[in-house]
Amino acid sequence: MEEAFHFGPFSIVPTKRSLSQSGSVVPLGSRALNILLFLVAHPGELKTNAEIVRQVWPDTFVDEANLRVHVSALRKALGDTQREPRFIANVPGRGYIFIAPVERRGPTAGSATPPHKLRPERPAPRIFGREHAVAAISDQLRKGRLVTVAGPGGMGKSTVARAVVSGVAGDNEVLWIDLSELGNGNLIPTVVASTLGILARTDDLMREIASVLQSRNMLLVMDSCEHVVTSAAEFAENLLADTTNLRILTTSREPLRAEGERVHRLPSLDLPPPAATAEIALKSPAVQLFVERADACLGGYELTDEDSPHAVDICTRLDGIALAIELAAGRLEAIGVHALSRSLTDCFKVLTRGRRTALPRHQTLRATMDWSYLLLLPQEQQALRELSVFRGRFTLEAASAVLSDPEADELIAALVAKSLLVAETPFDTPLYWLLDTTRLYAGERLLESGDTHTAMARFATYLSCLLEAAEGELHSASANEWSQDFAQQVPGLRAALDWAFGEAGDVLLGVRLTVAALPLFFRLSLLDECLAAVTLAINYLDSRPDLDERSRMKLYAALGWPQMRSTDAREHGTSAWTTALGIAEKLGDVDHQLRAIWALWVDAINRAEPRSGLQLTDRFAVLAPSSPDPADAIVGRRMRGATLHWLGRHEEARDELQKMVAEYERVPRGRHSVRFQFDQRVTARIILARCFWVLGDEDAALREVEETVRYAKEIRHHLSLSNVLAEAACPLALLAGRDELAADYIRLLRDHTKALSLDVWHAYADCFEAELHLRAGRYDDCLRQLRRSMHVLREAGFTLFQTIFQAVEAQALSGLCLHDEARQIIEAALQHCASSGERWCLPELHRVAGLITLEMQTSDASSLSRTHIRASLKAARQDGAVGWERRVTRDMVLRRFSSAVPEAEGPNDPHPLAASPPSSP
């Protein structure tokens, strides 16, 4: 009996080269017959166009068009169609599969060839960072008979499976079945039987397979099951039920959900910290893979410290996905590491050159994502598209607010199972997120679908509701006490605002979201982007009177924050708060009236107008009892204490502030750092430290500074930290003659304010540093830096320290022998004090004026100098300013003023202190 293949009503006898249908010969050309014989001998397997051509035309160059002609003739003879094939299916661009069941009859039927081991041309792969995974999967295979390696596309599941197989101990047989090109899950038994060499004689192919495998100690690997997952699960369950020694390892983008299955989720490759050096970066598996592929691509590559940050950025932006990293490294033939890092804003366009021998879905990053996406159900595809609006982690509640399908929990579970959504449960509430590559792909699909507006509107509405509900918490709780990490909402907030204020957005929704986000923006010191959103929202509402006055009031209040504007936009401050106050009075909103009065007081103090500031503190004190928050009256006490200090009433200021701090201990932390910009303990202790120094307790002043800086860092309120550095730490270290400590504080202030774009306080840092130049005798450097920074401060309306900076400027001019100009500067400072009521540093201004005048060597220089020294001592003693008085006393000793001013000595004039700080030149 001759060997024959039977399928449907057809049979073909290879030795006779004849095709029959129900006993009748079917005419068929020799080339078409050879094609049929080749496909029938490998049922269920994809045979590429190149393979078929090599088999049928072994020594002849044949265009693939000829192959298509003969396949068409073959289909016609079989009565097959391309649209609904029964026998031969086409895989576009790849080749053909014989999809019908084939029964092989003949003298060798029923025998089985030994199973194939892992192909020898595929040695055990080199893996990076997967040692733990390989060990864990191997352990799972010892405990169970069915293990699935699940993970997103391109994560390296097949590579890990090969590493597991290579480590199988003993004489275990390995059968590797690649299901990636199998178009029909029903053909899994046929493919396995064919690979095993089983020549089936019955319709019960599963029994034949189980019979062959029953006596063997075998590991069956089914690679790429995700597109035939149901059939793969059924096949695995049935085969395991009919065998005893068989173990099955599968890879899939989702678990099979078969009985007895153990699942190992394969995560991304570990990433190094940002901007890591080459040595540190090379400890990361992701960077190791990148460098190894780059070395292979370029014929030699070593990671340098210069390239390291860019390599780290590439691996991070590609989520540690092995395939994406390999594709990226392959692009180095054309561009360098730095350029590649910059180009990854469109990773799907850049990552397009995979290995020619790779499966089509692994040749580009987009093809990998397409494969996963097209396997989803329509409702799952829609959910994935809509979830792309999230940036970072989100809860099931958040997803439910954005998804259009009411079955959000089912869809989320499905996307997690299919490795398109990552899940974790760090606390009680599960969190989900999309890998960046997945999110970008889903975002493109959302744009193509035309549903971007709807999805983004739902997302912006969700964020608005979330932040509105959390307003009290954002006001009153410290960041460590928040019920959730609101900071993780910032990337999504940015995206939502960009959309809302964009051409296709919803501006009114953007206004609502901006108002809701104000406390969060401020708590996180995100002032530049807050200013941008507030400006857009105000412009919209100003052009639509009475549309939403309450929102307009809140926006103008935010616009008035001093740190919310650049130093060249001083007009925004007072006018914004005046507008906010007018709206608040119209609406009867006590809270915002208090905020506006407070802000106008701040503006008066920053302009060094403490007399006006005192009037505003009185106005605040009258209104505060109407507030439902009893702490507002305590804040009013702090305002009064600070104002008294600037007026030179230091003992009163100290007593007021010490009472305020004691009372404020009973107030819940955090709230007033948003309503009144700064943590109120910090602002009170700033002035307390200043009072301690002026009143003569230098050690207490420096201790207060140190403790307040530490506290501001602990509560993570960046503006409060900047404030204590600028108004207490830097100036008091200078006044104490602690130049090294001052330099440290100045450096911290500069670095901190530069990172946060706080122009005003950055200018303060430059002014303080200018005084160090003065002390070092670098008068030109001092003047250049000081004048530049003072101009910035004047333009911004921040002249709180202008008079003391003028004293430094005058001393630098005098050091350059420009005594007349120096005298003009110091006289201007004294005139300002007389007109504004500013008195906190009045003794120091007279002291400096006396020194400068003495250097002028005019006929009346000595007399004028004595006049200023007397005025300095008189003001210091009148104000109880022992700190200032000591500086005058020291100069009297060092410069022999005592003979010129005999009345200076008195009961309040201690013996010159040997430990007192040196005077500025």
Side-chain angles (χ1 to χ4, degrees):
M1 181 180 179
E2 295 179 289
E3 182 184 27
F5 296 95
H6 295 262
F7 52 93
F10 297 95
S11 63
I12 184 171
V13 181
T15 57
K16 292 183 177 180
R17 296 182 59 76
S18 65
L19 175 68
S20 300
Q21 180 179 12
S22 302
S24 300
V25 176
V26 178
L28 194 63
S30 63
R31 300 295 190 189
L33 186 63
N34 287 341
I35 294 171
L36 177 59
L37 284 169
F38 184 51
L39 294 176
V40 167
H42 303 86
E45 296 183 32
L46 171 71
K47 292 302 175 183
T48 66
N49 296 332
E51 287 179 300
I52 298 171
V53 168
R54 283 197 301 270
Q55 179 72 24
V56 179
W57 292 274
D59 300 313
T60 308
F61 173 78
V62 176
D63 189 88
E64 289 186 4
N66 287 339
L67 174 60
R68 289 194 293 271
V69 170
H70 289 286
V71 171
S72 178
L74 176 57
R75 278 181 166 152
K76 184 176 181 180
L78 297 175
D80 212 6
T81 64
Q82 186 171 357
R83 182 180 298 275
E84 297 181 0
R86 292 183 303 147
F87 301 108
I88 300 174
N90 173 237
V91 179
R94 292 281 288 166
Y96 298 89
I97 304 174
F98 197 86
I99 60 175
V102 177
E103 182 181 355
R104 192 171 185 174
R105 301 174 187 172
T108 59
S111 64
T113 59
H116 298 290
K117 294 266 187 177
L118 192 61
R119 290 183 293 174
E121 67 270 21
R122 282 288 181 92
R126 183 181 180 188
I127 60 173
F128 297 91
R130 298 301 194 193
E131 294 81 6
H132 176 75
V134 171
I137 295 166
S138 300
D139 185 58
Q140 292 284 64
L141 279 171
R142 286 189 289 271
K143 295 177 180 177
R145 298 178 63 202
L146 174 60
V147 177
T148 295
V149 182
M155 202 61 75
K157 299 182 294 294
S158 298
T159 299
V160 169
R162 290 185 182 279
V164 170
V165 167
S166 69
V168 173
D171 297 325
N172 288 351
E173 296 178 287
V174 177
L175 183 66
W176 185 284
I177 304 295
D178 186 354
L179 301 179
S180 60
E181 299 293 352
L182 195 65
N184 186 340
N186 294 328
L187 292 175
I188 294 177
T190 303
V191 173
V192 174
S194 175
T195 307
L196 285 169
I198 296 174
L199 306 179
R201 291 167 294 178
T202 68
D203 291 335
D204 195 349
L205 194 55
M206 285 298 300
R207 174 185 284 183
E208 293 287 341
I209 296 171
S211 176
V212 169
L213 297 181
Q214 174 60 35
S215 60
R216 295 180 176 178
N217 188 22
M218 177 176 286
L219 174 63
L220 170 62
V221 183
M222 296 196 298
D223 189 27
S224 303
C225 297
E226 55 271 356
H227 61 302
V228 289
V229 67
T230 302
S231 299
E234 182 181 354
F235 175 80
E237 284 186 353
N238 292 337
L239 195 55
L240 290 171
D242 292 340
T243 58
T244 55
N245 295 326
L246 178 69
R247 281 175 169 71
I248 300 177
L249 175 63
T250 71
T251 70
S252 175
R253 301 189 185 187
E254 65 174 305
L256 304 189
R257 289 189 291 172
E259 183 180 357
E261 179 186 27
R262 293 170 178 261
V263 179
H264 182 92
R265 290 277 180 184
L266 196 64
S268 302
L269 293 173
D270 288 342
L271 296 163
T277 63
E279 181 181 1
I280 295 174
L282 283 171
K283 296 178 181 179
S284 155
V287 175
Q288 291 171 8
L289 175 61
F290 178 81
V291 172
E292 192 270 344
R293 296 310 306 152
D295 182 64
C297 173
L298 300 175
Y301 176 76
E302 291 185 6
L303 186 67
T304 64
D305 285 342
E306 181 180 357
D307 283 353
S308 181
H310 306 300
V312 170
D313 180 61
I314 290 167
C315 295
T316 301
R317 292 172 70 176
L318 296 177
D319 299 308
I321 298 174
L323 173 64
I325 292 171
E326 289 191 23
L327 292 172
R331 298 295 294 177
L332 293 179
E333 289 179 317
I335 57 178
V337 176
H338 190 186
L340 177 60
S341 175
R342 292 198 309 268
S343 70
L344 283 182
T345 51
D346 188 352
C347 56
F348 296 108
K349 182 178 180 181
V350 174
L351 305 184
T352 58
R353 297 184 63 191
R355 298 188 306 272
R356 286 189 175 90
T357 57
L359 297 171
R361 70 173 188 272
H362 285 170
Q363 291 187 356
T364 72
L365 186 58
R366 184 179 298 281
T368 299
M369 294 305 307
D370 284 341
W371 172 265
S372 297
Y373 180 78
L374 294 174
L375 292 176
L376 298 176
L377 299 174
Q379 61 269 33
E380 294 169 349
Q381 292 179 347
Q382 182 174 359
L384 182 67
R385 294 194 301 266
E386 292 172 342
L387 290 174
S388 69
V389 301
F390 285 102
R391 305 294 189 271
R393 289 163 173 76
F394 56 89
T395 62
L396 179 59
E397 179 186 6
S400 300
V402 169
L403 295 180
S404 55
D405 193 308
E407 302 296 331
D409 52 347
E410 293 293 331
L411 292 169
I412 293 295
L415 292 174
V416 170
K418 295 179 180 180
S419 303
L420 286 165
L421 199 59
V422 183
E424 68 175 7
T425 310
F427 305 107
D428 295 335
T429 303
L431 296 176
Y432 307 91
W433 77 93
L434 295 168
L435 295 177
D436 281 346
T437 46
T438 306
R439 181 181 58 78
L440 291 171
Y441 176 86
E444 288 185 5
R445 288 287 190 166
L446 179 65
L447 189 62
E448 293 169 2
S449 72
D451 294 333
T452 301
H453 183 92
T454 303
M456 288 301 299
R458 286 200 194 97
F459 181 50
T461 301
Y462 161 73
L463 287 177
S464 296
C465 294
L466 174 71
L467 295 175
E468 287 166 357
E471 181 181 9
E473 183 177 356
L474 290 171
H475 278 310
S476 61
S478 67
N480 294 330
E481 296 169 339
W482 285 347
S483 61
Q484 60 174 284
D485 183 8
F486 290 104
Q488 72 176 2
Q489 302 294 343
V490 170
L493 176 62
R494 290 170 179 145
L497 289 172
D498 286 344
W499 166 79
F501 290 118
E503 293 183 3
D506 183 335
V507 181
L508 193 57
L509 184 53
V511 170
R512 177 188 172 188
L513 180 56
T514 301
V515 172
L518 289 174
L520 181 62
F521 274 133
F522 194 80
R523 287 298 294 270
L524 299 179
S525 300
L526 300 173
L527 302 180
D528 283 348
E529 46 200 302
C530 183
L531 175 60
V534 165
T535 302
L536 290 170
I538 283 179
N539 289 342
Y540 180 79
L541 291 181
D542 279 351
S543 62
R544 293 162 178 80
D546 299 323
L547 176 63
D548 187 351
E549 284 294 272
R550 186 165 296 279
S551 291
R552 196 165 76 96
M553 172 188 69
K554 293 180 178 181
L555 291 166
Y556 268 108
L559 187 64
W561 294 343
Q563 286 70 38
M564 269 277 288
R565 59 186 188 269
S566 61
T567 54
D568 58 356
R570 62 181 296 181
E571 70 281 356
H572 289 169
T574 304
S575 62
W577 279 113
T578 302
T579 301
L581 179 59
I583 300 173
E585 289 173 340
K586 182 173 69 173
L587 297 176
D589 190 314
V590 173
D591 177 33
H592 277 81
Q593 288 182 63
L594 288 172
R595 295 190 196 203
I597 293 170
W598 174 87
L600 292 170
W601 168 79
V602 169
D603 185 71
I605 295 301
N606 282 333
R607 287 185 288 105
E609 297 284 348
R611 277 203 199 104
S612 300
L614 191 60
Q615 294 174 2
L616 288 164
T617 61
D618 293 340
R619 189 174 175 184
F620 189 99
V622 170
L623 187 61
S626 303
S627 170
D629 188 346
D632 286 343
I634 303 175
V635 173
R637 186 187 288 276
R638 184 196 71 78
M639 293 165 60
R640 179 173 177 80
T643 308
L644 292 173
H645 166 67
W646 304 118
L647 287 167
R649 296 158 63 177
H650 307 295
E651 290 184 352
E652 292 179 70
R654 178 198 59 198
D655 295 344
E656 191 83 14
L657 291 169
Q658 287 178 331
K659 292 176 184 177
M660 176 267 170
V661 170
E663 293 175 4
Y664 203 74
E665 288 300 321
R666 297 188 292 272
V667 176
R669 297 181 176 226
R671 175 171 175 79
H672 293 88
S673 67
V674 175
R675 292 179 66 222
F676 302 118
Q677 292 194 33
F678 306 104
D679 182 274
Q680 296 299 295
R681 290 174 183 81
V682 171
T683 51
R685 294 176 71 178
I686 286 171
I687 304 300
L688 260 180
R690 295 177 63 89
C691 289
F692 286 151
W693 186 90
V694 173
L695 293 171
D697 195 344
E698 185 174 286
D699 291 340
L702 294 178
R703 282 197 305 271
E704 190 74 22
V705 164
E706 183 178 0
E707 291 172 7
T708 307
V709 169
R710 182 169 57 250
Y711 172 73
K713 289 180 178 179
E714 287 175 359
I715 65 173
R716 297 189 299 170
H717 195 254
H718 303 302
L719 295 183
S720 294
L721 176 58
S722 299
N723 198 25
V724 67
L725 289 170
E727 296 193 8
C730 293
L732 293 183
L734 288 169
L735 287 172
R738 300 279 297 277
D739 289 359
E740 290 185 4
L741 178 62
D744 289 340
Y745 281 143
I746 291 166
R747 190 179 307 110
L748 180 58
L749 176 61
R750 176 178 285 111
D751 293 344
H752 193 67
T753 55
K754 184 177 182 180
L756 297 173
S757 299
L758 300 175
D759 298 349
V760 168
W761 283 324
H762 198 71
Y764 277 154
D766 288 340
C767 289
F768 295 133
E769 187 176 63
E771 183 165 352
L772 292 178
H773 293 323
L774 173 71
R775 295 182 179 189
R778 297 190 294 270
Y779 304 125
D780 284 324
D781 292 341
C782 172
L783 281 175
R784 185 165 45 251
Q785 183 163 322
L786 187 65
R787 285 177 166 176
R788 181 180 63 245
S789 300
M790 287 178 66
H791 174 75
V792 169
L793 292 171
R794 278 193 294 269
E795 288 298 307
F798 280 77
T799 54
L800 173 61
F801 294 139
Q802 177 169 291
T803 52
I804 199 70
F805 291 152
Q806 285 176 313
V808 175
E809 181 184 12
Q811 291 175 82
L813 288 167
S814 182
L816 294 171
C817 297
L818 300 173
H819 305 302
D820 288 338
E821 187 177 353
R823 182 177 177 182
Q824 292 173 11
I825 293 294
I826 203 68
E827 289 295 339
L830 288 166
Q831 289 172 11
H832 171 80
C833 288
S835 63
S836 67
E838 179 185 355
R839 190 180 170 90
W840 71 275
C841 64
L842 184 62
E844 176 70 357
L845 297 179
H846 277 298
R847 183 189 75 84
V848 172
L851 295 177
I852 292 171
T853 305
L854 193 62
E855 297 293 332
M856 295 180 67
Q857 298 181 354
T858 59
S859 58
D860 58 349
S862 178
S863 173
L864 290 174
S865 178
R866 285 197 300 272
T867 300
H868 281 297
I869 295 301
R870 292 191 189 102
S872 177
L873 283 171
K874 180 179 180 180
R877 290 170 177 171
Q878 181 177 333
D879 299 342
V882 176
W884 295 129
E885 185 178 354
R886 285 174 177 165
R887 292 167 73 88
V888 180
T889 304
R890 182 184 58 241
D891 285 345
M892 289 169 59
V893 173
L894 296 177
R895 299 176 185 266
R896 296 187 174 85
F897 279 140
S898 53
S899 60
V901 193
E903 65 270 36
E905 299 183 12
N908 290 330
D909 182 23
H911 189 75
L913 300 177
S916 61
S919 173
S920 298

